[in-house]
Structures are given as structure tokens and as C-alpha cells.
Amino acid sequence: MMSTVAIITTDNTADDPRQREPLTTGGQTLASITDTVCGVAERAQTPRAWYFAFAISASVALAFFGLIGYLVTTGVGVWGNNSPVFWAFDITNFVFWIGIGHAGTLISAILFLFRQKWRTSINRAAEAMTVFAVICAGIFPGIHVGRVWLAYWLAPYPNQMSVWPNFRSPLLWDVFAVSTYATVSVLFWYLGMVPDLATLRDRATGPWRRRLYGLFALGWRGSARQWHVYERAYLLLAALATPLVLSVHSVVSTDFAVAQLPGWHTTVFPPYFVAGAIFSGFAMVITLMVPARAFFGLKNLVTLRHLENMCKIILATGCMVGYAYGIEFFIAWYSGNPYEQFAFFNRALGPYAWAYWIMVSCNVAVPQLFWFKRVRTTPWLMWLLAAAVNVGMWFERFVIIVTSLSRDFLPSSWRYFVPTWVDIGMLIGSFGLFFTLFLLFCRYLPMVAMAEVKQVLPHGGDCPSFCAHHAQHGRKNGTVPLDEKGGRPHDD
Amino acid sequence: MKKGAVPTMTEYIAQPQVEEPQAVVGVLAQFDGVEPLKKAAANIRDAGFRRWDVHSPFPVHGIERAMGMRRTPLPWLVLLAGCGGAVVALLLQWWTNGFDYPIVTSGKPLFSLPANIPITFELIVLFSGLVAFGGTLVLNLLPHFNHPVFRSERFRRATTDGFFISIEAADAKFDEAAVRTLLESAGATAVEVLQDTTAKPKFPTWLYKAGIVAVVLGLLPPVLVAWYRATPKSLPRIHIIPDMDFQEKYTPQAASPLPAFADGSAARPPVPGTVYRGGLEDEHFDLGRVGGKPATMFPMPVTDELMQRGQQRFGIFCATCHGLAGEGGETGLTSLRAGKRKELDWVLPASLLTSGLRDQPVGQIFDTMTNGLRKMPALGPQIPPQDRWAIILYLRALQRSQNAAPDDVPEEMRDKLR
């Protein structure tokens, strides 16, 4: 099914906009974009490598559900959590996964509002990543409540006990923030996908594919009246998701910041957590997209320049996170509070110093390599660095939660937390679930927002001259000529 | 159905297919690109058509003006939903935490906006998001699986790289030949007449049957559960969620698991010499009773030190309510505060100087202080017995001083009273 596209050049990372191809490479046309993206989902023969990856991640995901069953039937004692470390891997994993999701919303909503047109090639996959990460995140607080069958007590509903949840508790804010985030992310992702599902429906050859894609495409006809409402709704959802994404990790951070525990009781937490979330999320997008674009032949749509832009965001947010680490120590010293000072002294030099220094080297030192353009444009290298950032950001949450709890106000209750095999199994298992969902997405859904990419095409190649103004611009030697005003068409 | 056309969803489901009378429902025209499409759209608009549409693989900017389309009311609906979210969130938080079941947190007000902002914000976004999505479906009349344009094989390019205009036969100005000419003169590369069956679509019978079977199967489990719960059973019922209802432990009356215990009981008797709680109390000193009746005497020698101690403790524990002189009423600090706060249900503390209290045996005052009386709380847990007796001693002195005759004052001091 896949049609081959003549590649002019795949390197569009030149700093001078006159010397690089805009947004996509390979002289894309409307039809070639559809062919490339739909080709992935329409392959008659599923590649063996996909089966291999799916078999591994699906069995890890199955083991994850097995462990959840073990936990539910036995009790949270199967974890290493014990006084005074009542939050450990469970909440670390929760904050880690919810943070991963934030990059997807940033790409789809915030960059949309800022008119960053390069987002169109990666927003679909990043939004999918958001939805899957939120699924993984939501599991952990759900099972850590202990008696899972009473988790509905979190909801405000009239009951025979005549009590209501405490709406001034950050933990309840969390319930509302995360469930709203999950709902709006799914709606945003699905609404954006409807036109592309219609494309898959219209190209489908077998009756079952046509029925299923047709069902989810809702009978979309690409009519101007539909597009008009659709674009309004998309803009509104972007405008709603933008403050939402900032609020979600701020609320998550108040779970800690509102507590009195030294190491948690910090006003810098909301912005610090949001920066960290975007940092880790972009690292995860790179971790997923570098192999996916190579494996599914999307190099002309998800170009090197997309990856380079993401590396720049990782560099910027990495510096913000490093600044937050520094300012925490400054405030500990400046406050003159001995408990606060001890908490941070203990964090860097205490029994968990190993975790702290893994965090600092992965999150602050490693991203500094992105100052070099060579690193920003070498996919395998940036994949390694992004993987390191993922590790570092997991350890950041571990350091904040476990080091602060393990040495609280009462030295007699101090305890060194050691994870059990179930703790570690569930961490790995959540990755299995995440990759399983992502692999299914890659195989059966449009990985790139085709309608959106078509909208920002520089209108070259052999497509119908639907934009007479730009149709006259030929492309010579992989460069794009200037238009009359000295600017370049349709690229930011 | 036309030969070669790909059937729509509903046709697949509505098996078996039969040839049905067809009627013209519209005309579909294909165009070469965005610019011809816009030009043609302007022509159709000027010709006065109302029931027509433009189809493109991506939103064409400027087409709204070319078509003479009105702006969608969606943003207003979303604004309304956002306001609704705010109202619902604030009412929910006020009613649950501030009114129906007031939760006092660190003495803060029961309803204070800053703490209620996060939930309010989240519900604004949730309501707006749901309406933005739902509104898109409703305003676009989706889902709609059997639109006549899906009859056209050519139309399948509309979601890839095809640009189309469709005019419905339901339009007042529709005339097949005239519309065809209009579209062709507007630059259409292909014009096609859309036909659809005139028969009313029937709901497939197999779906009815499947629905009935599904409902019956779905009702089976709850009926079985209800039946099981309603009928008497000789064995314990299934306990799906055990919580901690059955624990591996021995209750006090249970038999011993080990044969080593001679009495065969799982509960062990206390070791010899064990004193029960309160077993070491002295009736007079700890309970203020002698022979079961309130004591009339102090259990210890009355000294000046005891009096001093009593004065100090009285100032700490008693004077806040009963006043430094023991007059009660509004002389205590708590009454002062209650008055300032206009607490209407405040009961004034009793005077300790009344004749009734003067005549009470010390043992009864001791008991009142230990266990409390009416609104007065029990102070036994806070004041050790020795101090309680000291306070009673000082109270006796207060009672005496407030009801003294001039003869009670030493002779050399009497002159100063005048």
C-alpha cells in the first residue's frame, strides 16, 4: 500500500530559513501525506518486529494486571511502604506518568495557540502518549488507597454516612484535576482524529475496517460547515487545555507543598513541577518518536527539525529544573530553619544520596549536551539522552517523596525504604501497559494529523494547484525561493 | 444501489439487500483545487442556494465568506457551560462542606474562596470541554452514517485530496439540469447525480432480536443475585469483599489451640499480683468519699502551703469561667468572650459562693470537679487529686471571705474596712 516518495533531502535543520525546507521534507503532496500515514495502518502484513515488540510489552502489561490482582487480594503490604514512608513507588509512578502526559497537551494545545505550525506532525502521537500516560498514572493512586472497592468514596455522592469529601484537601483537588485532564485529553485527541479516521474509512478495502473506522469517524464528510464548527471547537479545547495542563501538575505539587513535611513544604513546587513535567514529557516524545519515525517511514513528516525543536525545549526546561534544584537549597539555607536545612543536607548527602545524584546528573548535566547542534540533530544520540532524562525524572519524584518521608520529625521512626519485587514489577509493568497501548495506536490509528499537516503544506510538488499564489514556486536544489515580500510561504 | 459503489454502514448491517426505487437527492461536483472551489462556492451563494455544502480534506480558510456562512454559536454555548461549571462547583463545595456537613479545618471559615478555586477551575474546564465536544457533534448533526454523498465512489477522495460541492435536491431552487450547468460553468471537473432509496429506512429485525437477547442476558445476573439474597440459606452467605471481617485470631471465650493450658481457654488469666485499673485508689483521697458518702473532711492536714497551691491552681483552672473571686456570672473570661461574640446559647457559669455550695461537703465539691456537672467539663483528668483538694481549700477561704461578718476580721484590721 505504501507509495514511495522521492526524497529530496531529509535534513531541514539549517538555521537560515531560506536554506531549509519548510515543515515537511520530500516534496509532500496532499496524496503523499495520506499515503504515508494511512500506509502504516493499512499494511496487509503486520511487520514481524511489531509483533515482537507487542508480544513483549503486552506480556509485561499482563503481568502488571496480575500484580494489581495480587495487591488487591492481599493488601498494600506487598509493597515496601511502611511507617514513616507511606508513599513510595506508588505515588512516584503516579507523578512520573502524569508528568509524561503534559508534553502531549503542550504540543497540541499551547503550541497551537502560539501558532507553532511544526507541531502538526507530532501532535497526534504526543496526544496519544498523553492519554496512555494518564491511564498508567490513574492506576497508581487507585490501587494505593488499599481497599480498591471503596475508591468511589473519593466522589461526592449522597450516602448513608451523611458525610462529604473535604473539598479543601489537595488530594481531592487531585481527583478532580486528573479526571478532568483525562477526559479533556481524550476528547481533544478524538475530536482531532475524526477527519483522519474518515480518511482511513474512505480508503478501507475490507468491510470490517470500513465499518469500524466508519463508526468512529461518525460520518464525517469534510464539509465546510462541519470544518467551521470543528475549527472553533478545536480552538476552544486548546484554550481550555492550556490552563488545564498547568493546573494539573500544580495541583499534584500541592499534594506535597501543602503538607508540613520539610522537603515538601515549598512554594516553588507548582512551577517547578510543571517545568519538570514538560521536560520529562518531551523526553518521552523523543523516546517514542525517534524509533517510530524510522520504523514506520515517517521521516519526511516528523523531520529532523521537529526533533531538534524538541531537544531545544528539553534543554530549556532542563535548565529550569536545574534552577529549581538550586533554589530549593538556597531557600533551605536562607530560611534559617534547621529542619528544612537538614532535609536538604540529607537529600544530597544522606542515605539516598545515590538517587539524588542520579537525578542531578540525568536532569541537569546530561541535557546540557543539547547545546551542541550535532547532538540535537543525531537521532540515536538524542534518544540516549532522552532516555537518561526519563530515568532522571523518575528519580526526581522518588527523591522528593522518599527522602523527605524517610527522615521525618521523629528520629526514632526513621526508616530506609527498600522496594519489594512487587514495587519494581509494577514500575516495569506500567511501562509495558504504556508501550502496548502505543504500539496498538501506531498499528491501527493515524499517527500523524493528516488534515492538519495538509493545511500547513507549502503547496509544492505535483498536487492540484489549490493555492494559486504558491503553486508557481518551484523547488530547486532543496531550497525554497522567497516570495515577493522576502518571506517564505506558510512556515513559521 | 449503484453498481461498484461501496455500501455504507447501514447497508452492511441491513442484510439482505434488495433493489429499491431510487430518487435524485442531490448533485455532487468535483473541483481542481482550493481557488476554483472558492470561486464556485461564491457562484452558488450568489445563485441563492441554501441547502448545499463544500467538501475538502482540510479546512479551507476564507470559504466561510465565499459560502455566506453564519458564525457558529458554539463559543457562546461553551461560555455558558463554563459559567455553569463554576456555579455547580461553588454550590457543591459550599453546600457539602459549609452547610450540610460543616468541616472545620484549623478554625478557618467554612467557605472560603481561595481553597475552593482549584475544584471550581477544574469543573469549569470539564463542563466547557464536554460542551465543546458535544456541541460539535450536535451542531454538525453527527453521527450521520448514511448521507447521500457517501453513495459516490468519487467522493472517497474528499478526505484525501478531493474538493467537492454538493447541492441537495431538497433545496427550493433545485433543478437537476440547471444545477448541472451552473456547476459546470463554475469550473467543475466532474458532475455526478446522487441517488438514494425512497423507501423509509427500516430498523433491521436481527438487531431487535439481538437487543432482546442482550437485555435478557444482562438482567440475569442481578435477578440471580436478588434471588440468592432473598432466599434463606443454611450456610453462611458468600462474602465477596472480606475487608477485615474474619481475622485469624482467638476471641476471649474461644477454646485454646494449645493443649498446654490446663483450663483449655485461649484467654490467659492475669499474672498473679496484677492490680486492676483503679485498684490502688484511696476512697477518701482519690474519690472524695468516706464509707460511700461524700467526705466532710480533708484527707490531708490543711497547711498554708496547700492554701497557696490552691490559690494558684484556682487561678489557672477555675477563674477563667467562675472569675477570680468565684462569683461566676459574667466575671469569667469565657463569659466575656461569649458576650463579645454574642453567643446566645451561652450558659453563665454558676457562682461558687452561694449558701448551697457553702454547705456542701468537700467530698461533693471534689466529685463535681472530678466528673463535671451540667455544662462544666470533668477536670479530673487534668488536675491531680492533691491539687483538687488544694483548690477546694482555697474555695472554702473564698466562700468564707465573701460571707464574712466584721467580727471575722482581726481587731487591728477592722479600722481599715471603714
Side-chain angles (χ1 to χ4, degrees):
Chain A
M1 282 302 296
M2 274 183 71
S3 71
T4 48
V5 178
I7 294 170
I8 298 174
T9 166
T10 50
D11 184 16
N12 57 346
T13 56
D15 289 326
D16 183 350
R18 285 173 299 182
Q19 297 302 314
R20 66 165 189 252
E21 288 207 55
L23 299 174
T24 56
T25 56
Q28 298 296 328
T29 65
L30 298 178
S32 74
I33 288 172
T34 300
D35 285 342
T36 312
V37 178
C38 293
V40 176
E42 286 168 353
R43 262 189 243 196
Q45 198 71 47
T46 309
R48 197 167 286 174
W50 186 90
Y51 275 123
F52 186 67
F54 184 77
I56 293 175
S57 54
S59 31
V60 174
L62 270 180
F64 182 42
F65 288 113
L67 285 176
I68 291 174
Y70 175 51
L71 176 111
V72 170
T73 51
T74 313
V76 278
V78 299
W79 283 339
N81 302 14
N82 208 337
S83 175
V85 188
F86 288 114
W87 282 1
F89 269 40
D90 45 354
I91 302 299
T92 303
N93 295 343
F94 162 66
V95 182
F96 173 76
W97 281 117
I98 201 88
I100 293 290
H102 282 40
T105 320
L106 185 113
I107 291 170
S108 56
I110 299 182
L111 295 186
F112 177 76
L113 294 184
F114 282 122
R115 303 279 187 264
Q116 294 296 305
K117 287 178 180 156
W118 59 274
R119 67 178 264 291
T120 54
S121 293
I122 49 170
N123 71 337
R124 173 67 44 72
E127 281 174 51
M129 180 196 77
T130 295
V131 173
F132 305 149
V134 172
I135 290 171
C136 291
I139 288 174
F140 284 99
I143 55 177
H144 115 124
V145 297
R147 291 191 285 168
V148 179
W149 49 94
L150 297 179
Y152 64 91
W153 283 1
L154 291 165
Y157 70 102
N159 52 67
Q160 77 272 30
M161 296 171 278
S162 292
V163 291
W164 297 97
N166 180 6
F167 281 100
R168 277 168 289 183
S169 161
L171 296 175
L172 196 66
W173 302 349
D174 227 15
V175 174
F176 277 77
V178 172
S179 49
T180 301
Y181 185 51
T183 311
V184 172
S185 298
V186 169
L187 293 181
F188 199 28
W189 183 53
Y190 178 56
L191 185 71
M193 204 151 52
V194 165
D196 291 348
L197 288 171
T199 310
L200 280 167
R201 170 200 66 196
D202 290 345
R203 286 169 57 95
T205 43
W208 276 107
R209 290 184 82 90
R210 190 171 165 80
R211 271 183 231 184
L212 274 173
Y213 285 128
L215 184 66
F216 287 103
L218 303 172
W220 178 262
R221 311 190 288 282
S223 103
R225 296 176 204 278
Q226 288 179 340
W227 278 122
H228 175 66
V229 180
Y230 168 93
E231 282 202 290
R232 279 279 134 187
Y234 199 85
L235 177 68
L236 287 165
L237 280 173
L240 290 166
T242 297
L244 176 65
V245 69
L246 300 181
S247 86
V248 170
H249 230 57
S250 300
V251 164
V252 168
S253 80
T254 56
D255 289 348
F256 307 101
V258 171
Q260 306 295 309
L261 190 72
W264 285 9
H265 192 60
T266 316
T267 49
V268 78
F269 262 18
Y272 161 24
F273 268 51
V274 171
I278 291 164
F279 178 57
S280 65
F282 269 95
M284 189 58 96
V285 176
I286 288 198
T287 313
L288 295 174
M289 287 314 278
V290 165
R293 75 193 267 275
F295 187 70
F296 295 111
L298 300 173
K299 280 183 176 172
N300 282 321
L301 297 179
V302 183
T303 64
L304 215 47
R305 185 165 167 71
H306 288 102
L307 299 180
E308 193 193 358
N309 282 349
M310 289 196 273
C311 291
K312 286 178 181 169
I313 292 178
I314 290 182
L315 177 58
T317 46
C319 291
M320 287 182 210
V321 167
Y323 170 78
Y325 296 162
I327 211 74
E328 275 190 321
F329 274 81
F330 170 76
I331 292 294
W333 167 76
Y334 187 67
S335 67
N337 180 336
Y339 303 103
E340 192 77 12
Q341 286 171 356
F342 171 77
F344 284 93
F345 179 82
N346 180 55
R347 195 172 276 185
L349 300 169
Y352 290 103
W354 59 273
Y356 181 81
W357 293 108
I358 289 177
M359 165 189 109
V360 170
S361 42
C362 287
N363 291 352
V364 186
V366 163
Q368 299 307 317
L369 289 171
F370 283 133
W371 286 108
F372 301 103
K373 191 177 177 80
R374 193 69 179 274
V375 180
R376 291 201 304 270
T377 51
T378 313
W380 66 269
L381 205 51
M382 72 175 81
W383 190 89
L384 285 180
L385 300 195
V389 169
N390 286 328
V391 171
M393 281 309 292
W394 188 87
F395 270 101
E396 180 196 292
R397 280 61 176 254
F398 178 81
V399 163
I400 290 172
I401 293 169
V402 173
T403 62
S404 310
L405 281 172
S406 72
R407 295 204 162 177
D408 61 354
F409 291 107
L410 200 62
S412 62
S413 64
W414 287 0
R415 180 169 161 271
Y416 186 82
F417 166 79
V418 180
T420 62
W421 67 273
V422 181
D423 276 311
I424 294 164
M426 281 197 174
L427 171 61
I428 299 168
S430 64
F431 274 92
L433 175 61
F434 179 73
F435 286 120
T436 304
L437 292 170
F438 195 78
L439 283 167
L440 287 172
F441 161 74
C442 290
R443 182 70 187 86
Y444 295 108
L445 291 173
M447 277 180 72
V448 174
M450 294 179 275
E452 290 195 53
V453 175
K454 286 173 188 172
Q455 221 179 325
V456 298
L457 265 193
H459 309 164
D462 58 351
C463 73
S465 58
F466 57 87
C467 188
H469 171 63
H470 294 131
Q472 56 193 296
H473 299 313
R475 190 175 281 124
K476 291 168 197 156
N477 308 326
T479 63
V480 181
L482 300 175
D483 66 11
E484 307 85 58
K485 290 171 197 145
R488 233 165 19 78
H490 290 236
D491 184 14
D492 295 339
Chain B
M1 203 174 101
K2 254 172 47 183
K3 199 167 179 254
V6 172
T8 60
M9 281 283 302
T10 40
E11 284 172 52
Y12 267 114
I13 294 166
Q15 301 283 351
Q17 291 165 16
V18 281
E19 283 298 326
E20 279 164 342
Q22 302 279 308
V24 173
V25 289
V27 169
L28 183 73
Q30 186 167 12
F31 291 84
D32 217 3
V34 167
E35 291 306 320
L37 188 73
K38 277 200 214 169
K39 247 171 56 192
N43 285 353
I44 314 270
R45 174 199 64 195
D46 294 342
F49 285 97
R50 306 199 79 90
R51 303 197 57 167
W52 62 291
D53 217 331
V54 170
H55 308 268
S56 56
F58 53 87
V60 174
H61 288 163
I63 197 75
E64 289 95 342
R65 201 183 309 149
M67 287 177 70
M69 203 193 295
R70 273 190 306 175
R71 284 182 82 110
T72 168
L74 186 68
W76 293 106
L77 296 178
V78 172
L79 178 69
L80 215 65
C83 296
V87 170
V88 166
L90 289 172
L91 279 179
L92 176 73
Q93 293 178 86
W94 165 78
W95 192 75
T96 55
N97 282 182
F99 183 78
D100 186 48
Y101 189 88
I103 299 179
V104 182
T105 311
S106 311
K108 293 189 180 75
L110 289 173
F111 182 72
S112 54
L113 208 49
N116 295 317
I117 286 292
I119 302 263
T120 310
F121 173 79
E122 300 302 338
L123 284 195
I124 289 174
V125 172
L126 183 64
F127 280 41
S128 312
L130 288 172
V131 167
F133 180 78
T136 310
L137 298 192
V138 171
L139 292 171
N140 279 340
L141 303 174
L142 292 178
H144 185 176
F145 296 115
N146 59 348
H147 195 276
V149 289
F150 292 132
R151 306 268 159 178
S152 162
E153 176 70 12
R154 189 177 277 120
F155 189 74
R156 296 171 75 179
R157 301 296 297 184
T159 51
T160 297
D161 57 1
F163 299 88
F164 295 89
I165 289 180
S166 63
I167 301 179
E168 288 178 36
D171 194 291
K173 283 185 173 272
F174 186 83
D175 173 75
E176 197 186 316
V179 165
R180 188 184 274 276
T181 327
L182 175 66
L183 287 167
E184 271 163 3
S185 67
T189 54
V191 177
E192 184 181 327
V193 175
L194 296 171
Q195 292 198 321
D196 202 358
T197 164
T198 49
K200 258 192 127 188
K202 270 181 289 180
F203 198 77
T205 43
W206 68 267
L207 213 57
Y208 269 126
K209 289 173 192 160
I212 289 164
V213 170
V215 168
V216 168
L217 285 179
L219 279 174
L220 260 178
V223 165
L224 281 176
V225 169
W227 174 74
Y228 184 79
R229 285 178 68 98
T231 47
K233 290 272 177 291
S234 55
L235 287 169
R237 287 174 195 285
I238 298 170
H239 207 84
I240 295 170
I241 295 165
D243 278 327
M244 292 172 80
D245 296 339
F246 311 108
Q247 298 177 18
E248 291 181 33
K249 66 175 184 186
Y250 296 100
T251 46
Q253 305 291 327
S256 165
L258 300 169
F261 297 139
D263 60 1
S265 167
R268 296 289 85 219
V271 292
T274 306
V275 179
Y276 67 87
R277 212 185 130 110
L280 287 176
E281 275 172 356
D282 179 80
E283 195 194 13
H284 192 178
F285 179 77
D286 291 299
L287 305 174
R289 285 198 291 269
V290 175
K293 295 216 170 71
T296 50
M297 303 288 286
F298 283 85
M300 71 280 281
V302 172
T303 63
D304 199 33
E305 276 160 74
L306 196 66
M307 182 67 88
Q308 301 281 348
R309 176 76 182 168
Q311 183 179 19
Q312 190 216 17
R313 295 287 111 175
F314 186 90
I316 293 171
F317 289 109
C318 314
T320 40
C321 289
H322 293 286
L324 282 167
E327 285 169 296
E330 290 172 349
T331 56
L333 288 171
T334 47
S335 295
L336 217 62
R337 185 156 180 275
K340 272 188 185 161
R341 290 165 60 102
K342 300 195 172 61
E343 287 180 12
L344 298 176
D345 57 345
W346 177 252
V347 179
L348 290 174
S351 167
L352 304 177
L353 311 174
T354 56
S355 59
L357 266 166
R358 281 208 308 278
D359 299 340
Q360 244 180 30
V362 286
Q364 192 171 344
I365 298 178
F366 185 90
D367 183 76
T368 304
M369 209 190 300
T370 309
N371 299 315
L373 187 68
R374 293 191 288 275
K375 293 273 271 189
M376 174 173 159
L379 290 163
Q382 292 179 50
I383 314 173
Q386 178 78 16
D387 285 349
R388 271 176 257 160
W389 287 115
I391 289 170
I392 292 168
L393 181 60
Y394 178 67
L395 177 62
R396 280 286 185 242
L398 278 179
Q399 288 172 339
R400 182 83 187 276
S401 71
Q402 296 297 314
N403 290 279
D407 298 348
D408 292 336
V409 182
E411 264 181 62
E412 61 272 21
M413 304 287 278
R414 280 181 199 166
D415 294 340
K416 291 189 179 173
L417 287 173
R418 294 202 177 91

